[in-house]
Amino acid sequence: ATSAADFRVMVLDLLWSILPRFVLPMLLMWAGAQFVLGVSLHYAIVCVFLELRLKVQCFFMNGVKVQPEASQREPNLSAEQAALPLRGVEVPSAQDYTASGQTLPPSKKVSSLFKKNWPPAGQQMQYGGSTSSSSFGQPEHFGKKTKEEQSLGEIEDDAWLQRRNCLREGAEVHRQVRQFLQQKVRPGTQLLDIAEMVEKASSTLVGFEAKHPLKRGWAFPTGLSLNEIAAHDTVNPGDPPRWLQSTDILKVDFGVQVEGNILDCAFTLAFDPMHDELMKAVQEATEEGIRRAGPDAFIADIGGGIREVME
């Protein structure tokens, strides 16, 4: 009996000596994850585990020759292939691009180009209205004020107009950067060069200032997604070189922010006629989504209209 009691005491002493070494770090990890990172402890542990596993895999894969992806092979293009024009889009001429006073490549802030007619109006479409089953085929706000105006009163105040001007400025910056890119990018261009062109031109045209980095600039790193990758891919300095092939279809996604108002848009670059039908379908679906967007429009109606046209 005495030996059993001594054994229990010894086990308890061992536990009391070991537990603090684990409990205290776990508590610190939980507090750091919860209150510093804003995530759960489980999520933080999973992230650490995945990062360690990736490091181990990279260590053992170091030196193993892996067949490069098609985009990692420098293309051997003929002069005709290297000069292929873009498909599915009307690229403005250099004369049209510089008609507003902009240079090529762009070097002037958009806000300095439009003094009298500011902000410039872009594409305009007639709003079809939200026609849910509860609105009997009429726009949801038909014959009454919109919900925003009912709750906030007059919405076109000075602050609202300032936000609209910021968004229109961002839209014009985006349009000029997009058209510049459409004139420059051809098969054989490195993806990193495309990303740098976008970000440099965006910063210049929106008027980025290093002393006030949050006031205006590009909204997020440029997305460059090739072929079967739908979105949210990109390249970084130090990555293996990747080139745009003549048969690729590239989705470019970048955004501009002006005083915290974010303007985001994606567009497609393709040079092979096999992508023509896909690009036409996407264009028609996008225009349907724009037509359905408006006061009190249901997100489901917008998405449903886009999907119906696409399918």
Side-chain angles (χ1 to χ4, degrees), residues 20-41:
R21 299 181 182 182
F22 290 93
V23 173
L24 184 59
M26 291 296 289
L27 285 174
L28 291 175
M29 288 180 62
W30 173 83
Q34 189 72 28
F35 300 108
V36 178
L37 300 178
V39 298
S40 66
L41 178 60

Side-chain angles (χ1 to χ4, degrees), residues 240-256:
R242 297 167 64 187
W243 287 269
L244 186 62
Q245 311 290 329
S246 59
T247 56
D248 284 340
I249 182 167
L250 175 66
K251 284 76 66 181
V252 184
D253 185 6
F254 73 97
V256 176

Side-chain angles (χ1 to χ4, degrees), residues 31-70:
Q34 189 72 28
F35 300 108
V36 178
L37 300 178
V39 298
S40 66
L41 178 60
H42 174 264
Y43 180 81
I45 292 175
V46 169
C47 290
V48 172
F49 169 75
L50 292 176
E51 182 67 22
L52 291 175
R53 188 177 71 174
L54 180 62
K55 294 291 185 184
V56 171
Q57 290 175 341
C58 291
F59 175 79
F60 285 106
M61 289 292 291
N62 188 25
V64 177
K65 294 184 178 180
V66 180
Q67 182 69 19
E69 298 179 4

Side-chain angles (χ1 to χ4, degrees), residues 111 169 206-209 212-218 257-259:
S111 58
E169 180 183 353
V206 80
F208 172 77
E209 297 179 2
H212 307 284
L214 299 182
K215 187 174 182 179
R216 48 179 57 219
W218 39 281
Q257 70 89 9
V258 180
E259 297 181 12

Side-chain angles (χ1 to χ4, degrees), residues 83-123:
L84 284 173
L86 282 177
R87 308 284 303 186
V89 63
E90 294 184 7
V91 181
S93 65
Q95 183 178 358
D96 291 338
Y97 187 83
T98 57
S100 65
Q102 186 58 269
T103 60
L104 189 64
S107 61
K108 297 181 180 180
K109 293 193 297 184
V110 163
S111 58
S112 67
L113 299 177
F114 302 92
K115 297 297 185 181
K116 297 180 180 179
N117 186 26
W118 178 256
Q123 180 183 4

Side-chain angles (χ1 to χ4, degrees), residues 4-18:
D6 293 340
F7 178 75
R8 286 196 297 270
V9 171
M10 182 178 65
V11 171
L12 289 173
D13 290 341
L14 182 63
L15 290 174
W16 280 112
S17 62
I18 293 177

